[in-house]
Amino acid sequence: MTTTGEEHPTALTGPWWWTRWRSALFDGSLALVSAAECAAEGVPFARDAGIPLSAGLVFGLLAGSVLLIRRRWPIAVVLVAIAVTPAQMGFLMGIVGLYTLAACELPRRIIAALAGMSLLGTMIVTFVRVRQDMARGDFTLGDWFVPFAAVTTSLGLTAPPLLLGLYVGARRRLMESLRERADSLERELQLLAERAEERAEWARNEERTRIAREMHDVVAHRVSLMVVHAAALQAVARKDPEKAVRNAALVGDMGRQALTELREMLGVLRSGEPRERQRRERASAAVPLVAVRAAAAAAASRAAGGPGGADGPCLAELEELVGQSAAAGMVVDLSVQGEVRVYGAEIEQTAYRVVQEALTNVHKHAAGAKTYVRLAHRVTEIAMQVENEPPPEQASAPSVRLPSGGNGLVGMKERVLALGGVFVSGPTDAGGFRVSAVIPAAS
């Protein structure tokens, strides 16, 4: 992975304004070569100007050493190169200065103005120099050679470094832009990874909630019936031994079925989770949770006692569900209105679970109360209602009291709302309790 784009210009490892020591050594070498060149060219300039040779030498050294600051102040370097052009010195400084100027991130109008000044200055000096040489007889060519030499020399000293600097500057800016895009893409990928992890965690939590709901539906109803039958067994053990034997056998069957279902659910977790964690730690919980949910749905169908198998419980098994509660001593009245028809599997399972959990709550909180189960098949929806009367005052009521986790109504409401339905529950004016739900038939 690359580092962020803001770190590149601030990572200074060289002296002063240089980013690296290698750049400082390179600029120092160029400045020494330029100073030597200007010093050598300063000797004939001093001789022609009639000044001491030492002055021309010092002037050339000072002018050539300006190339040392080309990265910091490229405009100053170009201006000095233009200024010493009449002295016919600073050719290297002019070329390198124009290249640095064009490669910098300066406005194009400034680059064009300084390049034009350098081109014009070189052209004028070359024109005058060549004309003087031809006047002294050093050249015997025609007059056409003077402008030709001035134009070609000025273009040769100005255009190549200018074009090369523009190309290098554009390429450098392109690389910086690509680096910034790569850094931005990396940050976006990190954000996406974090969001994906959050969504995965949310999905795992949601799946755990669904599994807990399935296990509650599978176990709570059967265990509640077991407790009710056990209480009845305790009450009739001495009075009616035959009935006590039947109740004991029924409790044993229910207990074995409940243990089988729990073993299937927990077995999926124990067998699948360690192997999946070794392969992919983050997704270790996903596959087992899905498998547990499928096992829970299958176990829930078996808890209803129907042949549904892996398809889950359906409304056709509702009468058998009510019969189980009636066998446990509850007075239940089941009524079905409308034309019976087949709905989607999820709709039928949800309707079945609502009735099942409502009956379980009656066993827990209103033992002995008469209960009314109503199911209505409508045109675009299916409605169900479970209402119980106030429980009778019995001395043996504490003996059949069942524990409650307080999640039954929450689970029913979540199921119904997930299908776009409406769920209402609460006490009645007569002192009982009512659970009502309406589920769209087209869900």
Side-chain angles (χ1 to χ4, degrees):
M1 293 293 182
T2 60
T3 56
T4 57
E6 292 78 10
E7 295 178 357
H8 294 285
T10 59
L12 298 177
T13 60
W16 296 339
W17 56 81
W18 285 283
T19 57
R20 293 175 296 181
W21 277 97
R22 185 175 64 180
S23 301
L25 293 176
F26 181 74
D27 288 352
S29 302
L30 287 178
L32 288 176
V33 175
S34 178
E37 177 205 353
C38 292
E41 294 169 346
V43 174
F45 168 72
R47 186 182 300 112
D48 295 340
I51 59 177
L53 296 179
S54 58
L57 186 63
V58 172
F59 175 74
L61 289 174
L62 293 177
S65 61
V66 176
L67 197 59
L68 189 66
I69 62 173
R70 71 182 186 94
R71 297 178 189 266
R72 184 74 173 183
W73 295 289
I75 296 178
V77 175
V78 175
L79 291 177
V80 172
I82 294 174
V84 300
T85 299
Q88 294 186 352
M89 64 173 62
F91 294 102
L92 177 63
M93 181 172 55
I95 294 173
V96 177
L98 284 176
Y99 164 78
T100 307
L101 179 70
C104 290
E105 296 183 1
L106 292 174
R108 292 298 179 89
R109 61 178 183 276
I110 297 179
I111 298 176
L114 293 177
M117 292 172 59
S118 178
L119 176 67
L120 184 61
T122 305
M123 185 182 300
I124 294 175
V125 171
T126 304
F127 183 87
V128 173
R129 187 67 178 181
V130 172
R131 191 175 183 85
Q132 289 177 353
D133 292 341
M134 292 187 65
R136 289 196 300 265
D138 295 340
F139 297 102
T140 58
L141 298 176
D143 294 338
W144 62 269
F145 182 73
V146 177
F148 175 77
V151 172
T152 53
T153 302
S154 59
L155 288 177
L157 294 176
T158 304
L162 183 66
L163 296 177
L164 180 61
L166 291 175
Y167 167 74
V168 172
R171 184 176 180 275
R172 184 182 303 162
R173 287 187 291 272
L174 177 61
M175 294 302 295
E176 291 177 356
S177 175
L178 293 177
R179 186 182 297 112
E180 291 177 357
R181 291 183 181 180
D183 297 336
S184 176
L185 179 60
E186 181 182 358
R187 289 191 293 269
E188 291 179 1
L189 289 177
Q190 291 176 353
L191 291 177
L192 290 176
E194 293 176 358
R195 293 178 181 176
E197 187 174 355
E198 292 176 357
R199 288 194 296 267
E201 182 65 24
W202 175 86
R204 287 194 290 268
N205 293 335
E206 187 71 14
E207 198 65 29
R208 291 190 184 99
T209 303
R210 293 178 181 177
I211 291 173
R213 189 185 302 129
E214 290 288 345
M215 294 183 67
H216 178 273
D217 293 338
V218 169
V219 178
H221 182 72
R222 191 177 299 280
V223 173
S224 298
L225 293 179
M226 289 173 58
V227 175
V228 173
H229 281 290
L233 174 63
Q234 183 180 4
V236 302
R238 296 179 180 179
K239 299 179 181 179
D240 191 351
E242 294 183 0
K243 185 176 182 181
V245 171
R246 291 195 300 269
N247 288 342
L250 184 59
V251 171
D253 292 339
M254 289 184 177
R256 282 188 292 272
Q257 292 176 7
L259 287 176
T260 302
E261 293 159 2
L262 286 175
R263 189 179 297 111
E264 290 178 358
M265 295 179 196
L266 299 178
V268 174
L269 280 175
R270 290 174 179 173
S271 62
E273 188 174 1
R275 181 169 57 253
E276 192 66 20
R277 184 185 293 119
Q278 294 176 359
R279 295 172 53 191
R280 190 171 56 181
E281 182 177 357
R282 290 185 177 179
S284 62
V287 174
L289 290 178
V290 174
V292 171
R293 184 185 177 191
S301 66
R302 289 191 295 273
D311 295 334
C314 59
L315 292 177
E317 305 168 10
L318 191 60
E319 186 174 355
E320 186 175 355
L321 176 66
V322 173
Q324 293 176 357
S325 295
M330 179 187 296
V331 180
V332 189
D333 181 20
L334 173 63
S335 64
V336 180
Q337 300 176 358
E339 182 181 356
V340 179
R341 61 183 186 274
V342 179
Y343 301 93
E346 192 172 5
I347 297 176
E348 294 210 5
Q349 291 176 17
T350 301
Y352 182 93
R353 294 298 187 206
V354 170
V355 176
Q356 182 189 54
E357 182 60 30
L359 292 177
T360 303
N361 288 340
V362 175
H363 285 292
K364 291 181 179 180
H365 307 291
K370 186 174 182 179
T371 306
Y372 302 91
V373 179
R374 300 181 180 90
L375 183 68
H377 298 274
R378 300 171 182 171
V379 178
T380 59
E381 61 189 12
I382 178 174
M384 64 225 68
Q385 183 182 89
V386 179
E387 180 179 351
N388 63 275
E389 296 179 352
E393 296 293 337
Q394 297 179 359
S396 61
S399 62
V400 297
R401 182 176 299 169
L402 300 173
S404 176
N407 298 319
L409 293 176
V410 176
M412 286 190 287
K413 185 174 182 180
E414 290 177 352
R415 286 179 177 274
V416 174
L417 294 181
L419 297 178
V422 178
F423 180 85
V424 179
S425 63
T428 62
D429 295 337
F433 199 84
R434 181 187 297 116
V435 173
S436 302
V438 178
I439 303 176
S443 297

